[in-house]
Amino acid sequence: MRGKQAAGRADWPEKGRASARIETFPATLANTLHRRLETEIVAGRIEPGSRLDEQEIAERYGCSRTPVREAFRLLAADRLVELRGRQGAAVRSIGAQTLIEMFQVMGELEGLCARLAARRVTQAQSQALQAIHARLVAAAGDSVDVFYDINAEFHEAIYEAANNAFLADETRRLRNRVAAYRRRVTHMPTRVEDTIREHEEIMEAILAHDPEAAHRAMRAHLTLLGENLLDLIAGLG
Amino acid sequence: MRGKQAAGRADWPEKGRASARIETFPATLANTLHRRLETEIVAGRIEPGSRLDEQEIAERYGCSRTPVREAFRLLAADRLVELRGRQGAAVRSIGAQTLIEMFQVMGELEGLCARLAARRVTQAQSQALQAIHARLVAAAGDSVDVFYDINAEFHEAIYEAANNAFLADETRRLRNRVAAYRRRVTHMPTRVEDTIREHEEIMEAILAHDPEAAHRAMRAHLTLLGENLLDLIAGLG
DNA sequence: ATAGCAGTATGTGCACACAAGATTGGTCCG
DNA sequence: CGGACCAATCTTGTGTGCACATACTGCTAT
């Protein structure tokens, strides 16, 4: 007879920090699949809107449908895929309207990151930021993918300097959701130089410990990025 | 032989609005469980930190473990439960540090809502807002739960006036995550009157179409709420 | 008495099987 | 000739069984 009270069992001793990717602990098949599919989607290797076939993926990874299904649920939680019950799962495709809205929210969140970073950044973090930026400048001529990755590093460094793990998680999550689209923007004519200039402004504000300037610069950066993205979409619509 | 291309099947015609709760469409067992458990957790009827037993819930709802497992994954996506592989799922408990961080982010998001609402609110929405506020004032003496619900309505009306579905979704999601804790704050001595006063200020700024004032008032509201919550936690720590 | 260890029990992870709903192609009727 | 209905097939949703990992309990040894 096991049916005790509703939920009165061994409570865990409360984790120190409630952040950290949800499921790093055990390397279950479902978790592995979750990570791998997430990477594929974020990198844009799976077209937005395309359907994900349980069986196909199951045999591709040599497992049964069960863990695949569970991975889908996890991805749905991050809003990376859409679950249409009885009709399978599909990579979420984002319309122009939603994209506008997302960039507005991202502007606010990344702006907060920048503001906090300006207040809290340490000496070591300042130097790290400058080093990353130097690498970004150096990579201006390299492949777009390399540039994109260093760009991401820059923002990641700011999250860290902001010293708000929750904010970092949420911002990162949002960033992931638009990543597949955002990556394409890097291909635009002046985007690389623009990015470098905008990053410079952000960085200087942070190094100068000027929260409002950092906030403003970061928001502007995101706004411009969003507008570029919309131009791109309008162009190929 | 079914193994075609990776994912080149029937693409859906892109949903009009990429928001809307993830899975309202089909009433599968897993989805039903997801919603019910979400309600239980958000309402605080399941203690934070307590473990969720697959079998127990399965037999309580008269189904097998499979849909229960899937519901857990969905809840994990919303960060409402924590998945510790091989050790079951537990309602996420939020530490003081994280709570502080969350309220900072919520302040920013709800602040954005208020700012947009001040710019975009329609005549009808203004009236609706006032009506809700009037009900809130009238409910000041009623049960805490009633007050809490009307309070939520007020914020919901602002989300709607902000006219940014994505922002509304994210803000609502965050609100849900802290709901179990937040609800308790309403019990504090002066919280009811404070809330009414703060709401008044927010509402007036929105009605006056003053974005910056609305933003400021809303952020202040969230900040005070967060501080109250921390006092509460410190008090019973 | 406490710490370490082994055996046991419980519960989760995964695979497989079955059932139900959805989609597609074909056929029949208007 | 077109549209609607129907059937076959495919895909997802759910139930069940088994194996392994983790936690627990009682023992022994220092």
Side-chain angles (χ1 to χ4, degrees), chain B residues 64-90:
Chain B
S64 81
R65 281 172 46 221
T66 311
V68 176
R69 288 175 65 79
E70 303 202 342
F72 282 8
R73 299 316 185 266
L74 260 355
L75 290 166
D78 287 327
R79 305 287 197 281
L80 286 174
V81 311
E82 198 175 341
L83 257 34
R84 299 199 170 178
R86 292 273 199 283
Q87 289 168 63

Tab-separated table of all heavy atoms in Angstrom, chain B residues 64-90:
chain	number	residue	atom	x	y	z
B	64	SER	N	-2.041	5.900	-16.624
B	64	SER	CA	-0.736	5.267	-16.462
B	64	SER	C	0.334	6.322	-16.242
B	64	SER	O	0.075	7.519	-16.262
B	64	SER	CB	-0.391	4.459	-17.698
B	64	SER	OG	0.113	5.286	-18.703
B	65	ARG	N	1.543	5.893	-16.050
B	65	ARG	CA	2.616	6.827	-15.741
B	65	ARG	C	3.026	7.667	-16.941
B	65	ARG	O	3.523	8.784	-16.782
B	65	ARG	CB	3.832	6.049	-15.246
B	65	ARG	CG	3.736	5.608	-13.796
B	65	ARG	CD	4.883	4.695	-13.451
B	65	ARG	NE	6.139	5.220	-13.929
B	65	ARG	CZ	7.096	4.500	-14.489
B	65	ARG	NH1	6.941	3.213	-14.635
B	65	ARG	NH2	8.193	5.070	-14.906
B	66	THR	N	2.816	7.151	-18.136
B	66	THR	CA	3.291	7.851	-19.331
B	66	THR	C	2.804	9.295	-19.430
B	66	THR	O	3.628	10.214	-19.536
B	66	THR	CB	2.922	7.066	-20.588
B	66	THR	OG1	3.309	5.708	-20.404
B	66	THR	CG2	3.597	7.629	-21.791
B	67	PRO	N	1.503	9.529	-19.423
B	67	PRO	CA	1.065	10.928	-19.507
B	67	PRO	C	1.550	11.775	-18.340
B	67	PRO	O	1.803	12.974	-18.506
B	67	PRO	CB	-0.458	10.831	-19.525
B	67	PRO	CG	-0.796	9.446	-19.181
B	67	PRO	CD	0.382	8.588	-19.416
B	68	VAL	N	1.693	11.148	-17.186
B	68	VAL	CA	2.196	11.896	-16.033
B	68	VAL	C	3.617	12.369	-16.293
B	68	VAL	O	3.956	13.538	-16.058
B	68	VAL	CB	2.166	11.025	-14.760
B	68	VAL	CG1	2.780	11.771	-13.588
B	68	VAL	CG2	0.741	10.620	-14.440
B	69	ARG	N	4.401	11.489	-16.820
B	69	ARG	CA	5.788	11.837	-17.131
B	69	ARG	C	5.843	13.001	-18.108
B	69	ARG	O	6.630	13.934	-17.962
B	69	ARG	CB	6.522	10.644	-17.735
B	69	ARG	CG	6.836	9.546	-16.746
B	69	ARG	CD	7.453	8.359	-17.445
B	69	ARG	NE	8.749	8.664	-18.030
B	69	ARG	CZ	9.874	8.728	-17.360
B	69	ARG	NH1	9.859	8.517	-16.057
B	69	ARG	NH2	11.012	9.003	-17.949
B	70	GLU	N	4.993	12.939	-19.124
B	70	GLU	CA	5.007	13.999	-20.120
B	70	GLU	C	4.566	15.327	-19.517
B	70	GLU	O	5.113	16.377	-19.842
B	70	GLU	CB	4.116	13.603	-21.293
B	70	GLU	CG	4.551	12.288	-21.904
B	70	GLU	CD	4.070	12.108	-23.323
B	70	GLU	OE1	3.134	12.817	-23.716
B	70	GLU	OE2	4.642	11.260	-24.029
B	71	ALA	N	3.586	15.258	-18.646
B	71	ALA	CA	3.148	16.488	-17.980
B	71	ALA	C	4.301	17.076	-17.160
B	71	ALA	O	4.503	18.292	-17.143
B	71	ALA	CB	1.951	16.205	-17.083
B	72	PHE	N	5.063	16.221	-16.517
B	72	PHE	CA	6.211	16.695	-15.742
B	72	PHE	C	7.185	17.459	-16.631
B	72	PHE	O	7.719	18.496	-16.243
B	72	PHE	CB	6.936	15.517	-15.094
B	72	PHE	CG	6.262	14.983	-13.873
B	72	PHE	CD1	5.005	15.425	-13.495
B	72	PHE	CD2	6.888	14.030	-13.096
B	72	PHE	CE1	4.386	14.929	-12.373
B	72	PHE	CE2	6.273	13.529	-11.957
B	72	PHE	CZ	5.027	13.969	-11.598
B	73	ARG	N	7.411	16.924	-17.817
B	73	ARG	CA	8.350	17.591	-18.731
B	73	ARG	C	7.828	18.956	-19.119
B	73	ARG	O	8.578	19.926	-19.205
B	73	ARG	CB	8.576	16.748	-19.995
B	73	ARG	CG	9.178	15.362	-19.780
B	73	ARG	CD	10.306	15.385	-18.813
B	73	ARG	NE	11.027	14.135	-18.626
B	73	ARG	CZ	10.760	13.268	-17.683
B	73	ARG	NH1	9.719	13.434	-16.887
B	73	ARG	NH2	11.537	12.212	-17.522
B	74	LEU	N	6.541	19.029	-19.345
B	74	LEU	CA	5.930	20.323	-19.685
B	74	LEU	C	6.095	21.309	-18.539
B	74	LEU	O	6.434	22.485	-18.745
B	74	LEU	CB	4.444	20.115	-19.989
B	74	LEU	CG	3.905	20.029	-21.424
B	74	LEU	CD1	4.983	20.300	-22.458
B	74	LEU	CD2	3.266	18.698	-21.697
B	75	LEU	N	5.876	20.828	-17.334
B	75	LEU	CA	6.003	21.708	-16.172
B	75	LEU	C	7.447	22.139	-15.973
B	75	LEU	O	7.718	23.263	-15.556
B	75	LEU	CB	5.496	20.985	-14.920
B	75	LEU	CG	3.989	20.766	-14.867
B	75	LEU	CD1	3.641	19.770	-13.784
B	75	LEU	CD2	3.278	22.081	-14.621
B	76	ALA	N	8.341	21.231	-16.295
B	76	ALA	CA	9.761	21.575	-16.168
B	76	ALA	C	10.107	22.691	-17.133
B	76	ALA	O	10.910	23.561	-16.825
B	76	ALA	CB	10.617	20.340	-16.445
B	77	ALA	N	9.473	22.687	-18.264
B	77	ALA	CA	9.746	23.707	-19.256
B	77	ALA	C	9.352	25.074	-18.726
B	77	ALA	O	10.014	26.065	-18.996
B	77	ALA	CB	8.972	23.398	-20.519
B	78	ASP	N	8.300	25.109	-17.981
B	78	ASP	CA	7.870	26.376	-17.387
B	78	ASP	C	8.609	26.656	-16.098
B	78	ASP	O	8.265	27.584	-15.379
B	78	ASP	CB	6.362	26.347	-17.132
B	78	ASP	CG	5.585	26.455	-18.428
B	78	ASP	OD1	6.072	27.134	-19.339
B	78	ASP	OD2	4.499	25.872	-18.507
B	79	ARG	N	9.567	25.816	-15.814
B	79	ARG	CA	10.388	25.981	-14.610
B	79	ARG	C	9.569	25.900	-13.328
B	79	ARG	O	9.967	26.467	-12.320
B	79	ARG	CB	11.138	27.311	-14.629
B	79	ARG	CG	11.991	27.538	-15.866
B	79	ARG	CD	13.218	26.662	-15.832
B	79	ARG	NE	14.231	27.133	-16.761
B	79	ARG	CZ	14.210	26.922	-18.066
B	79	ARG	NH1	13.205	26.262	-18.610
B	79	ARG	NH2	15.194	27.349	-18.827
B	80	LEU	N	8.451	25.232	-13.405
B	80	LEU	CA	7.643	25.103	-12.202
B	80	LEU	C	8.085	23.901	-11.394
B	80	LEU	O	7.957	23.882	-10.179
B	80	LEU	CB	6.157	24.981	-12.563
B	80	LEU	CG	5.519	26.287	-13.023
B	80	LEU	CD1	4.105	26.065	-13.500
B	80	LEU	CD2	5.538	27.300	-11.903
B	81	VAL	N	8.558	22.880	-12.060
B	81	VAL	CA	9.126	21.753	-11.337
B	81	VAL	C	10.556	21.529	-11.814
B	81	VAL	O	10.969	22.005	-12.864
B	81	VAL	CB	8.321	20.452	-11.535
B	81	VAL	CG1	6.855	20.682	-11.297
B	81	VAL	CG2	8.559	19.870	-12.899
B	82	GLU	N	11.257	20.797	-11.015
B	82	GLU	CA	12.661	20.541	-11.246
B	82	GLU	C	12.797	19.047	-11.515
B	82	GLU	O	12.235	18.240	-10.784
B	82	GLU	CB	13.404	20.915	-9.967
B	82	GLU	CG	14.851	21.136	-10.088
B	82	GLU	CD	15.370	21.624	-8.738
B	82	GLU	OE1	14.536	22.093	-7.940
B	82	GLU	OE2	16.562	21.513	-8.479
B	83	LEU	N	13.518	18.691	-12.542
B	83	LEU	CA	13.683	17.278	-12.867
B	83	LEU	C	15.057	16.812	-12.430
B	83	LEU	O	16.072	17.263	-12.964
B	83	LEU	CB	13.545	17.092	-14.379
B	83	LEU	CG	12.254	16.532	-14.949
B	83	LEU	CD1	11.061	16.978	-14.149
B	83	LEU	CD2	12.115	16.927	-16.394
B	84	ARG	N	15.078	15.923	-11.489
B	84	ARG	CA	16.366	15.347	-11.113
B	84	ARG	C	16.377	13.928	-11.593
B	84	ARG	O	15.898	13.024	-10.910
B	84	ARG	CB	16.556	15.371	-9.607
B	84	ARG	CG	16.541	16.760	-9.047
B	84	ARG	CD	17.180	16.751	-7.690
B	84	ARG	NE	17.378	18.120	-7.227
B	84	ARG	CZ	17.892	18.415	-6.038
B	84	ARG	NH1	18.239	17.439	-5.230
B	84	ARG	NH2	18.060	19.656	-5.687
B	85	GLY	N	16.894	13.735	-12.745
B	85	GLY	CA	16.873	12.419	-13.374
B	85	GLY	C	17.093	11.313	-12.369
B	85	GLY	O	17.936	11.420	-11.499
B	86	ARG	N	16.315	10.292	-12.496
B	86	ARG	CA	16.416	9.124	-11.616
B	86	ARG	C	15.958	9.410	-10.182
B	86	ARG	O	15.931	8.522	-9.371
B	86	ARG	CB	17.856	8.598	-11.529
B	86	ARG	CG	18.379	7.998	-12.785
B	86	ARG	CD	18.015	6.536	-12.877
B	86	ARG	NE	18.869	5.839	-13.826
B	86	ARG	CZ	18.717	5.931	-15.130
B	86	ARG	NH1	17.767	6.684	-15.630
B	86	ARG	NH2	19.514	5.260	-15.934
B	87	GLN	N	15.654	10.648	-9.903
B	87	GLN	CA	15.232	10.943	-8.537
B	87	GLN	C	13.911	11.674	-8.504
B	87	GLN	O	13.569	12.321	-7.534
B	87	GLN	CB	16.289	11.789	-7.835
B	87	GLN	CG	17.535	11.009	-7.528
B	87	GLN	CD	18.657	11.924	-7.109
B	87	GLN	OE1	18.568	12.599	-6.101
B	87	GLN	NE2	19.721	11.954	-7.866
B	88	GLY	N	13.211	11.584	-9.621
B	88	GLY	CA	11.889	12.160	-9.633
B	88	GLY	C	11.842	13.650	-9.868
B	88	GLY	O	12.863	14.287	-10.114
B	89	ALA	N	10.659	14.184	-9.786
B	89	ALA	CA	10.450	15.604	-10.002
B	89	ALA	C	9.986	16.235	-8.700
B	89	ALA	O	9.348	15.584	-7.889
B	89	ALA	CB	9.407	15.815	-11.090
B	90	ALA	N	10.301	17.506	-8.530
B	90	ALA	CA	9.863	18.209	-7.333
B	90	ALA	C	9.447	19.616	-7.701
B	90	ALA	O	9.970	20.199	-8.649
B	90	ALA	CB	10.985	18.250	-6.308
